[in-house]
Amino acid sequence: MDRAVQRRLVGLTAAVAALGMTAALSGCGSDKGSGDVTLRLVAADYGTGADDSSKKYWEDVTGKFEKANPGIRVEVTVHSWKDVDREVARMVKDGRAPDIAQIGAYADYAKAGELYAADEMVAIRTASNFLPSLADAGEVGGSVYGLPFVASTRLLFYNKGLFAEAGLKAPQTWDDIRSDAAALGRRGVTTPFALPLGQEESQAETLMWLLSGGGGYTDEVGNYAIDSPANIATLTWLKDKLVGKGLTGPVAPGKLDRQKAFDAFTEGEVGMLNGHPTLMREAGKKGIEAGMVPLPGIDGPTEGSMGVADWMMGFKQNGHRTEIGRFLDFAYGDANVLDFADRYDLLPVTSSASAAMEADSKHEPLHAFLSALPNSQLYPFGKTSWARTSEAVKEKIGSAVEPGGNPERVLTDIATQALQAESAE
């Protein structure tokens, strides 16, 4: 076992033992709960409409939980991803923090002392079951405050039909991407390679390319390295070899949002793009057979991938530590974790549920994404400066690859803003 994981488990064991003593002394934490308590849960909606709204999932989970835990009610409010982080921030600012939030970021709340640490809430069996790379990404100051809720990784998608017609094989290197895109372009494909660097999620597209070029947002010890030579070289290649050659379609990368690129792929208008598991399902609905391979790199497939996780957290304001922990222990049971992953073609965040998914043939389409998760690299979620840095990437990165753009200048500008945000914390 990794020493860092061992240390975390020892700390969690000690904390759980201490909490058990406290509960015994105060009369809290008994099997019957601590009286009539209503927990407020605010969650993000992963669905595309009323038929597949996440509200249905949470109603099922909370109904089962309430039946097993008399005296604890759970009120659920679901918001779209465009609104949920802002809504929770507003609630906290107004002094009406929810008990539990399932949103995109936790570090600011943890630094402000507004969250319970994991070892103050959940049982050791829950805390030790998270995939280590995801648990580590939920840490601030050595303690886990963000519990990973669901995850995904990224692969390169290609239209098998278009590739077969052009006599092409799946790309493995950047040169393959360039030559395949050129071949598709000659055959009249509208967008040989979709490069969505618009503001919707350009921080993700950027990280995928930085990783495949041997760089990333941070260095080996976690310091920002946004304007590293490897990152500059990566964006310069994109500018000169893809965008500059007219291989990224009629919409400038800085104006192209991810969902528009995904929609175009499902309509057969895109040859290649980086994507996540949900795109696999949506393409299949439209009759597009998608091939998926690890992100191509300079000399071959990239080792690892970009990973994305969303976070669950417990707020201190209402003092419902014991009840929050009981609910989270229930919610992270394998049946619930796998149910959510099944509904939205996403990946479980616990070791036991991941093993169950890997062993189940019905999940075979997700196995390639699942195998990439343990070695994936996530955003620097533990940095409270990341939110502002991410916004700087969204605002500026598209200009780095446009005609006349200067990748080094843009990356240096973003790096300066990141360091300023870091030093202000």
Side-chain angles (χ1 to χ4, degrees):
M1 182 182 292
D2 182 89
R3 289 186 178 181
V5 176
Q6 287 180 322
R7 288 196 300 271
R8 183 160 60 246
L9 295 183
V10 170
L12 285 169
T13 303
V16 169
L19 288 174
M21 292 175 64
T22 301
L25 291 172
S26 65
C28 296
S30 67
D31 290 342
K32 293 183 179 179
S34 54
D36 290 334
V37 168
T38 297
L39 298 177
R40 290 185 297 160
L41 165 65
V42 176
D45 196 348
Y46 291 75
T48 57
D51 290 342
D52 65 346
S53 172
S54 298
K55 188 173 180 63
K56 293 184 176 181
Y57 169 81
W58 285 116
E59 286 175 345
D60 179 59
V61 171
T62 56
K64 293 176 181 176
F65 172 79
E66 291 174 353
K67 185 176 180 179
N69 293 269
I72 306 177
R73 294 186 61 250
V74 185
E75 293 181 353
V76 181
T77 304
V78 173
H79 293 285
S80 73
W81 267 113
K82 291 183 179 180
D83 300 325
V84 67
D85 286 272
R86 182 173 62 250
E87 285 295 320
V88 170
R90 180 180 58 79
M91 293 172 70
V92 173
K93 183 179 179 180
D94 292 346
R96 300 182 299 104
D99 295 287
I100 305 167
Q102 182 268 302
I103 52 178
Y106 62 86
D108 285 343
Y109 300 123
K111 185 174 181 181
E114 294 167 330
L115 300 181
Y116 291 115
D119 59 16
E120 296 178 292
M121 298 184 295
V122 300
I124 184 66
R125 66 179 182 278
T126 301
S128 62
N129 197 25
F130 292 118
L131 294 171
S133 61
L134 299 181
D136 289 345
E139 289 186 1
V140 173
S143 295
V144 174
Y145 291 94
L147 279 63
F149 174 67
V150 73
S152 70
T153 54
R154 301 295 193 260
L155 299 175
L156 182 132
F157 282 63
Y158 65 97
N159 184 312
K160 282 189 172 182
L162 295 178
F163 266 62
E165 292 171 4
L168 302 173
K169 296 180 180 180
Q172 298 187 51
T173 67
W174 285 2
D175 281 343
D176 291 341
I177 288 177
R178 178 189 53 77
S179 61
D180 290 350
L184 293 171
R186 289 192 294 270
R187 295 182 63 86
V189 175
T190 303
T191 303
F193 193 101
L195 185 65
L197 293 177
Q199 292 205 16
E200 181 184 354
E201 206 191 25
S202 55
Q203 80 281 9
E205 183 72 19
T206 300
L207 180 55
M208 284 182 266
W209 280 100
L210 298 186
L211 291 174
S212 69
Y217 288 129
T218 56
D219 59 21
E220 293 82 358
V221 295
N223 296 319
Y224 281 123
I226 294 171
D227 57 348
S228 69
N231 291 347
I232 293 169
T234 294
L235 290 190
T236 299
W237 187 89
L238 284 173
K239 173 179 176 291
D240 294 343
K241 302 300 184 181
L242 282 188
V243 182
K245 299 296 185 182
L247 300 177
T248 53
V251 180
K255 302 293 185 182
L256 181 62
D257 283 340
R258 182 194 65 181
Q259 191 57 53
K260 293 293 185 182
F262 281 13
D263 291 345
F265 184 82
T266 65
E267 295 296 333
E269 300 170 358
V270 172
M272 296 172 279
L273 82 171
N274 295 323
H276 56 59
T278 304
L279 178 59
M280 175 180 61
R281 178 181 58 177
E282 296 303 315
K285 289 180 180 178
K286 295 291 188 70
I288 300 297
E289 188 177 4
M292 292 162 283
V293 294
L295 303 178
I298 298 173
D299 299 316
T302 304
E303 293 185 8
S305 177
M306 187 196 87
V308 175
D310 302 320
W311 306 96
M312 187 83 81
M313 62 212 71
F315 283 87
K316 292 180 176 179
Q317 180 179 304
N318 302 313
H320 294 152
R321 175 184 59 78
T322 301
E323 294 82 4
I324 292 171
R326 188 169 297 170
F327 176 77
L328 293 177
D329 286 336
F330 182 87
Y332 279 106
D334 282 356
N336 293 326
V337 172
L338 286 169
D339 183 15
F340 195 89
D342 280 342
R343 289 177 188 235
Y344 300 106
D345 286 330
L346 292 168
L347 304 179
V349 295
T350 63
S351 297
S352 56
S354 294
M357 177 175 281
E358 189 172 15
D360 192 337
S361 60
K362 80 174 184 179
H363 294 297
E364 187 172 353
L366 288 172
H367 286 175
F369 295 95
L370 190 65
S371 64
L373 186 58
N375 296 318
S376 63
Q377 182 168 328
L378 284 73
Y379 302 134
F381 285 112
K383 290 180 175 289
T384 54
S385 59
W386 170 242
R388 279 179 282 175
T389 301
S390 176
E391 288 303 314
V393 173
K394 292 179 182 181
E395 179 184 347
K396 300 175 182 293
I397 202 67
S399 65
V401 300
E402 65 185 16
N406 187 320
E408 182 173 4
R409 183 184 304 138
V410 171
L411 287 174
T412 299
D413 188 14
I414 296 171
T416 299
Q417 290 186 249
L419 292 176
Q420 288 174 343
E422 186 87 341
S423 62
E425 299 301 334

